[in-house]
């Protein structure tokens, strides 16, 4: 045995991440609740662009995933890693950079997303400067983690450390490859991928952001905190080995199940389905390992609110990871995709697995860090029950809403016409479900407020957080080769470099096998000669569509189903999207699909629809976008945008770029002439002129306003393919 070395654990960094997690959790859930009430009260934030649904939705998802859950992950990892490795974190400076850098990124997201500065890619909406900051801070975290592993005093790496390593490696790969974009300015970029390729890369990232940011680190935390709270070892170490390697290998293949029945090549879809089904085995292996750790201590579970939170969290993980593979079956996906079923599924994982496990860790850590007892176990128990009820009241109505939507969308009359030809009939039918969802979310938020009060009282009654004294023998050198009786995995557990390399290869296999053929084999995306690049004004309108978050409610992907072709028009072809940087297929239909909306309505209809949706669509829950009507459109960057598109393979000519402003003026003038066909528009337009004259301000012609570019884009959608 080596000499006994004395050192101190850094508890302050754990405290800081815990504070940030709870505070941002409150903010993120408040925004989510506001969004839930917007479904019943679409005019709730009328006229305030930065509080519109399309801009707040990505703020909610980013705040909950990266601020609430992300800070909880760092808190749990920093606490458990030091104790599992018998070493202080590698660098206090890196710990502080990790903390403050992550909080600055969150603040940057909270500022830019409501301003409409977004890439529109799910869970990756932040623009390129913030993407670079995320990569740098993530590398700082990784260096700190790996440095601590290198200077450890515990030879064998416990299972939780494997999950932490896999999280660091995979999230870095996913983030970098999905965030490859060509900057236009400090606040605007275009994805280097287009259409089908962009969709595959995005959902390779999007699915595995759930897998490797919301799942693998929490499994590592489960393997540490559940045995600690239960005061007994993990049920099966052998099962944890199988769980880890099978999970990180299979998960990375499953992304295409988000794109079933889309324009993605069938072989990629089928691979996604096959590996998604296989995911049940390792996922449930982890759930069983967690729950059976509590065998024989059920009396303790009944008495301990912390263990009750953990039981619901692990059960929620099991439910979500059974439902996910089931949703990847094509016959089930045909019903669920684009419906509220998916919203229910996502929130079972987020509220139960991530939320309840985070609450358990907070309740367990705070008394230890502040050297006191939890202020009130009764309040913690109340939080548990109201939180659990909130999850149930949130999820069940979404399942009912999802089935209702799917059945109504697909129902035909005997004469072959759609029973519910008006999309709004579906919306009105599920409004009671939206009310119940809002009530469930309110209950869950009340639980969080109870937690904040409980831990605040605990902190006030405790001592200041200080570094924790510890001691352990120094790590002695041993043979690098396997010793007598040592299994391969036991050897691997004491060789972090080899473990990290093997994990990297394991997670890369699936991504390489799916993405490279789609990027390089041209036959996967057949070209369509009639598909042309967007005009300069349409390109500007598309950017406005992205800015306002329209893709959060409207898809642009018609699946090859009789019901969808009847309702929306010809199904989507891969070659239609070759100039779309980024793709805008969407993942939820709160409103109808827009791929074939071009030419379906007049310019006046679109104008009135954006100004007051209820005036054109009675019963619509779409919010108004009146600032598009009044705001002058800044088109000064159009030539830079077109040059960037040329770099990305869009065939604009030098003449197209040189004449961009003239082209925009001509197309905008035609739209303005069309708008003059509406007497109400003419009266309003003349009122605007008179107001500008009386106020002594510049009058902006309608052709120069944002609405004109938006109309140009909407009227272009789907018109490249001519079908009688």
């Amino acid at each position: 045995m080596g000499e006994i070395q004395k050192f101190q654990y850094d508890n302050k960094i754990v405290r800081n991440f815990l504070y940030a997690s709870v505070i941002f959790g409150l903010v993120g859930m408040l925004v989510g609740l506001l969004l839930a009430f917007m479904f019943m009260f679409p005019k709730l934030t009328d006229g305030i662009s930065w509080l519109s649904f399309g801009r707040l939705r990505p703020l909610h998802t980013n705040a909950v995933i990266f601020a609430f859950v992300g800070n909880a992950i760092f808190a749990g990892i920093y606490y458990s890693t030091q104790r599992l490795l018998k070493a202080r974190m590698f660098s206090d400076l890196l710990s502080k950079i990790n903390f403050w850098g992550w909080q600055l990124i969150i603040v940057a997201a909270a500022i830019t997303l409501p301003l409409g500065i977004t890439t529109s890619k799910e869970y990756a909406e932040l623009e390129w400067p913030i993407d670079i900051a995320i990569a740098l801070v993530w590398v700082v975290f990784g260096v700190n983690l790996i440095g601590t592993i290198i200077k450890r005093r515990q030879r064998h790496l416990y299972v939780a450390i494997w999950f932490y390593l896999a999280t660091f490696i995979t999230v870095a790969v996913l983030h970098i490859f999905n965030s490859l974009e060509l900057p236009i300015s400090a606040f605007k970029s275009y994805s280097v991928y287009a259409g089908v390729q962009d969709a595959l890369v995005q959902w390779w990232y999007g699915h595995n952001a759930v897998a490797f940011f919301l799942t693998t680190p929490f499994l590592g935390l489960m393997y540490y905190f559940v045995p600690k709270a239960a005061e007994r070892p993990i049920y099966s170490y052998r099962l944890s080995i199988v769980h880890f390697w099978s999970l990180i290998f299979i998960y990375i293949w499953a992304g295409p199940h988000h794109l079933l029945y889309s324009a993605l090549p069938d072989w990629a879809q089928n691979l996604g389905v096959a590996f998604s089904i296989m995911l049940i085995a390792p996922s449930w292996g982890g759930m069983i390992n967690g729950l059976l750790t509590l065998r024989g201590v059920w009396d303790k579970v009944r008495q301990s609110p912390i263990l009750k939170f953990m039981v619901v969290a692990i059960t929620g993980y099991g439910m979500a990871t059974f439902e996910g593979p089931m949703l990847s079956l094509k016959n089930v996906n045909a019903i669920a995709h684009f419906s509220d079923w998916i919203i229910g599924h996502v929130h079972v994982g987020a509220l139960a697995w991530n939320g309840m496990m985070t609450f358990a860790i907070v309740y367990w850590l705070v008394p230890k860090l502040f050297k006191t007892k939890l202020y009130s176990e009764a309040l913690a128990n109340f939080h548990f029950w109201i939180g659990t009820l909130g999850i149930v009241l949130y999820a069940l109505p979404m399942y009912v809403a999802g089935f209702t939507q799917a059945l109504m969308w697909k129902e035909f009359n005997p004469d072959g016409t759609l029973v519910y030809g008006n999309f709004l009939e579906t919306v009105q039918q599920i409004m009671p479900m939206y009310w119940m969802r809002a009530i469930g979310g309110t209950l869950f938020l009340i639980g969080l407020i109870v937690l904040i009060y409980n831990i605040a009282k605990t902190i006030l009654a405790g001592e200041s957080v200080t570094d924790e004294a510890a001691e352990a023998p120094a790590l002695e050198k041993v043979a690098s080769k396997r010793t007598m009786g040592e299994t391969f995995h036991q050897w691997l557990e004491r060789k972090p470099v080899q473990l990290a390399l093997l994990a990297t290869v394991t997670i890369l296999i699936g991504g390489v096998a799916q993405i490279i053929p789609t990027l390089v084999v041209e036959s996967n995306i057949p070209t369509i000669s009639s598909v042309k690049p967007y005009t300069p004004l349409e390109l500007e309108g598309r950017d406005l569509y992205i800015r306002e978050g329209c893709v959060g409610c409207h898809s642009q992907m018609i699946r090859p189903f009789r019901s969808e072709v009847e309702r929306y028009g010809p199904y989507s072809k891969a070659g239609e999207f070759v100039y779309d940087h980024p793709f805008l297929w969407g993942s939820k239909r709160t409103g109808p699909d827009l791929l074939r909306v071009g030419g379906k309505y007049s310019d006046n209809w679109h104008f009135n629809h954006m100004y007051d949706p209820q005036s054109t669509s009675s019963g619509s829950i779409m919010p108004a976008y009146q600032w598009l009507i009044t705001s002058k459109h800044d088109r000064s960057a159009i030539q830079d945008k077109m040059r960037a598109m040329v770099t990305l393979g869009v065939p604009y000519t030098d003449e197209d770029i040189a004449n961009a402003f003239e082209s925009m003026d001509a197309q905008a003038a035609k739209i303005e002439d069309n708008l003059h066909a509406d007497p109400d528009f003419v009266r309003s337009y003349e009122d605007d002129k008179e107001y500008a004259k009386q106020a002594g301000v510049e009058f902006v012609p309608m052709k120069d306003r944002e609405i004109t570019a938006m109309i140009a884009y909407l009227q272009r959608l789907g018109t490249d393919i001519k079908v009688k």
Side-chain angles (χ1 to χ4, degrees):
M1 181 180 288
E3 63 170 317
I4 300 296
Q5 297 180 341
K6 295 186 177 183
F7 56 97
Q8 292 183 319
Y9 295 133
D10 182 2
N11 284 341
K12 293 177 183 176
I13 190 66
V14 179
R15 174 202 61 193
N16 292 346
F17 277 118
L18 279 181
Y19 283 173
S21 175
V22 171
I23 292 168
F24 285 123
L26 180 64
V27 173
M29 291 181 203
L30 280 170
V31 174
L33 191 59
L34 174 61
L35 292 170
F37 277 101
M38 284 183 182
F39 282 79
M40 288 80 74
F41 306 104
K43 295 182 180 292
L44 193 60
T45 59
D46 255 11
I48 310 174
S49 61
W50 54 276
L51 287 180
S52 64
F53 183 91
R55 298 194 191 186
L56 286 183
R57 181 188 175 274
L59 176 62
H60 165 61
T61 56
N62 278 266
V64 171
I65 294 172
F66 300 110
F68 170 55
V69 176
N71 277 305
I73 289 169
F74 287 128
I77 289 178
Y78 273 93
Y79 183 87
S80 59
T81 295
Q82 296 182 82
R83 286 150 181 84
L84 289 171
L85 300 179
K86 299 291 190 294
R88 188 181 180 90
M89 292 307 298
F90 174 67
S91 166
D92 288 1
L93 177 61
L94 291 182
S95 296
K96 290 174 182 176
I97 293 173
N98 184 183
F99 175 76
W100 289 110
W102 198 254
Q103 309 322 309
L104 288 173
I105 288 166
I106 293 165
V107 171
I111 294 171
T112 57
L113 291 174
L115 291 176
I117 300 170
T118 175
T119 67
S120 84
K121 299 180 76 169
E122 195 88 17
Y123 314 137
E125 293 91 350
L126 302 179
E127 269 294 356
W128 68 271
I130 307 176
D131 280 338
I132 292 173
I134 292 170
L136 293 174
V137 172
W138 193 254
V139 167
V140 166
F141 161 66
V143 170
N144 212 9
L145 176 66
I146 294 168
T148 310
I149 292 172
I150 291 171
K151 73 169 193 177
R152 71 193 188 281
R153 296 179 181 85
Q154 174 66 42
R155 184 169 307 286
H156 284 266
L157 303 179
Y158 179 63
V159 57
I161 302 296
W162 317 342
F163 279 99
Y164 301 160
L165 267 176
T167 297
F168 164 67
I169 294 165
T170 314
V171 169
V173 172
L174 293 169
H175 173 71
I176 290 169
F177 278 93
N178 188 51
S179 299
L180 292 176
E181 48 217 358
L182 189 61
I184 308 301
S185 66
F187 303 113
K188 181 64 183 174
S189 65
Y190 291 118
S191 172
V192 300
Y193 314 104
V196 172
Q197 297 167 337
D198 193 41
L200 178 60
V201 173
Q202 158 58 28
W203 282 113
W204 174 70
Y205 163 88
H207 178 78
N208 290 300
V210 174
F212 287 91
F213 195 85
L214 298 178
T215 302
T216 54
F218 265 79
L219 288 169
L221 298 179
M222 178 194 80
Y223 276 113
Y224 179 81
F225 285 101
V226 171
K228 284 290 185 182
E231 298 180 322
R232 55 185 301 124
I234 197 71
Y235 170 68
S236 170
Y237 203 71
R238 183 174 297 176
L239 182 56
S240 71
I241 295 173
V242 176
H243 176 208
F244 173 74
W245 290 105
S246 58
L247 190 81
I248 68 169
F249 173 71
I250 296 172
Y251 235 133
I252 211 79
W253 293 78
H257 78 220
H258 291 264
L259 301 170
L260 300 184
Y261 293 110
S262 72
L264 186 72
D266 284 342
W267 65 265
Q269 295 184 39
N270 294 335
L271 268 179
V273 171
F275 279 90
S276 296
I277 298 302
M278 286 190 277
L279 260 178
I280 294 177
S283 298
W284 273 48
M287 178 194 69
I288 290 167
N289 216 6
L291 289 179
L292 289 185
T293 300
L294 302 173
R295 72 200 187 285
V297 295
W298 292 110
D299 285 340
K300 189 173 181 179
V301 172
R302 284 192 291 270
Q303 296 170 5
S304 168
I306 292 172
L307 289 177
K308 285 202 281 281
F309 276 108
M310 289 178 170
V311 167
V312 169
I314 298 168
T315 305
Y317 168 65
M319 291 171 62
T321 53
F322 174 78
E323 188 181 17
M326 292 301 100
L327 287 169
S328 70
L329 293 170
K330 283 197 166 184
N331 55 345
V332 179
N333 188 274
I335 299 169
H337 193 49
F338 289 133
S339 80
D340 281 303
W341 182 348
I342 304 302
I343 307 302
H345 165 64
V346 167
H347 282 81
V348 166
L351 300 180
W353 170 228
N354 297 124
M356 300 299 258
M357 185 62 78
T358 295
F359 298 150
I361 291 170
V362 170
Y363 280 125
W364 192 84
L365 276 178
V366 167
K368 293 190 179 302
L369 293 176
F370 290 88
K371 302 180 183 68
T372 187
K373 289 184 177 181
L374 184 65
Y375 170 70
S376 172
E377 288 211 354
L379 283 177
N381 274 309
F382 173 77
H383 176 194
F384 168 77
W385 288 112
I386 197 171
T388 303
L389 180 61
I391 294 170
V392 173
L393 289 182
Y394 189 109
L396 289 182
M398 291 296 94
Y399 292 134
V400 174
F403 274 101
T404 302
Q405 287 167 314
L407 293 174
M408 292 180 73
W409 290 342
K410 293 175 180 292
E411 190 171 355
F412 281 88
N413 289 307
D415 64 357
T417 59
L418 290 165
V419 174
Y420 303 102
N422 186 342
F423 189 93
L424 283 171
E425 293 177 282
T426 308
V427 176
Q428 293 304 306
Q429 190 67 31
I430 60 178
M431 289 307 293
M433 303 303 108
Y434 288 151
W435 273 104
M436 289 185 67
R437 187 256 300 270
I439 293 170
T442 301
L443 294 178
F444 196 83
L445 179 62
I446 289 171
L448 175 59
I449 293 170
V450 169
L451 175 142
I452 292 172
Y453 175 78
N454 205 356
I455 65 168
K457 296 290 285 186
T458 304
I459 290 168
L460 291 173
E463 303 175 18
S464 297
V465 173
T466 57
D467 291 345
E468 182 180 334
E471 58 182 34
L475 194 64
E476 295 181 339
K477 288 186 177 181
V478 296
S480 60
K481 295 182 179 180
R482 285 169 58 181
T483 58
M484 185 68 67
E486 188 178 39
T487 66
F488 170 75
H489 206 275
Q490 288 172 334
W491 171 82
L492 194 63
E493 289 168 26
R494 61 181 177 86
K495 308 298 288 183
V497 174
Q498 288 86 337
L499 176 67
L501 288 174
L502 187 56
T504 303
V505 172
T506 302
I507 63 100
L508 285 177
I509 292 172
V512 169
Q514 289 175 331
I515 291 174
I516 290 182
T518 309
L519 293 180
V520 302
V521 180
E522 291 185 10
S523 61
N524 281 311
I525 306 169
T527 56
I528 301 174
S529 59
S530 62
V531 174
K532 305 298 181 186
Y534 297 105
T535 68
L537 190 64
E538 292 160 1
L539 182 61
E540 288 283 6
R542 193 173 195 270
D543 286 344
L544 291 174
Y545 185 95
I546 289 170
R547 185 190 76 184
E548 300 304 335
C550 302
V551 70
C553 291
H554 294 282
S555 59
Q556 290 183 27
M557 173 52 58
I558 302 171
R559 298 176 293 179
F561 299 151
R562 178 188 168 203
S563 59
E564 297 206 6
V565 171
E566 182 70 22
R567 186 182 301 277
Y568 302 121
Y571 67 85
S572 304
K573 318 297 190 296
E576 291 186 75
F577 306 102
V578 293
Y579 303 131
D580 286 7
H581 298 267
F583 83 113
L584 293 174
W585 295 359
S587 55
K588 169 72 165 64
R589 283 179 182 153
T590 304
D593 189 279
L594 298 182
L595 181 61
R596 309 284 179 219
V597 77
K600 187 175 182 179
Y601 304 103
S602 68
D603 291 350
N604 287 306
W605 187 93
H606 285 294
F607 180 93
N608 292 322
H609 186 62
M610 300 303 290
Y611 184 79
D612 181 11
Q614 289 72 34
S615 69
T616 58
S617 308
S618 179
S620 171
I621 61 172
M622 175 178 160
Y625 289 85
Q626 295 173 357
W627 53 90
L628 294 175
I629 312 298
T630 58
S631 298
K632 184 177 181 179
H633 188 199
D634 180 6
R635 301 169 187 166
S636 59
I638 184 59
Q639 291 179 322
D640 290 336
K641 292 180 178 181
M642 294 175 74
R643 291 188 192 99
M645 286 294 179
V646 171
T647 303
L648 297 173
V650 179
Y652 291 121
T653 65
D654 291 341
E655 185 180 5
D656 291 334
I657 297 172
N659 296 330
F661 292 104
E662 291 82 354
S663 168
M664 286 192 296
D665 282 342
Q667 188 173 4
K670 287 182 181 179
I671 294 172
E672 184 174 349
D673 288 343
N674 292 338
L675 293 176
H676 276 84
D678 183 348
D680 289 335
F681 168 79
V682 174
R683 282 192 293 273
S684 174
Y685 195 47
E686 293 304 319
D687 288 344
D688 282 355
K689 285 184 178 178
E690 185 61 28
Y691 172 80
K693 183 178 179 181
Q694 295 294 334
V697 297
E698 178 190 5
F699 171 72
V700 180
M702 188 58 64
K703 68 184 184 65
D704 296 330
R705 300 187 194 182
E706 291 181 336
I707 186 62
T708 311
M710 179 70 89
I711 292 172
Y713 172 65
L714 292 172
Q715 293 290 38
R716 170 65 186 276
L717 286 174
T719 58
D720 285 342
I721 292 188
K722 308 294 183 184
V723 178
K724 292 184 180 179

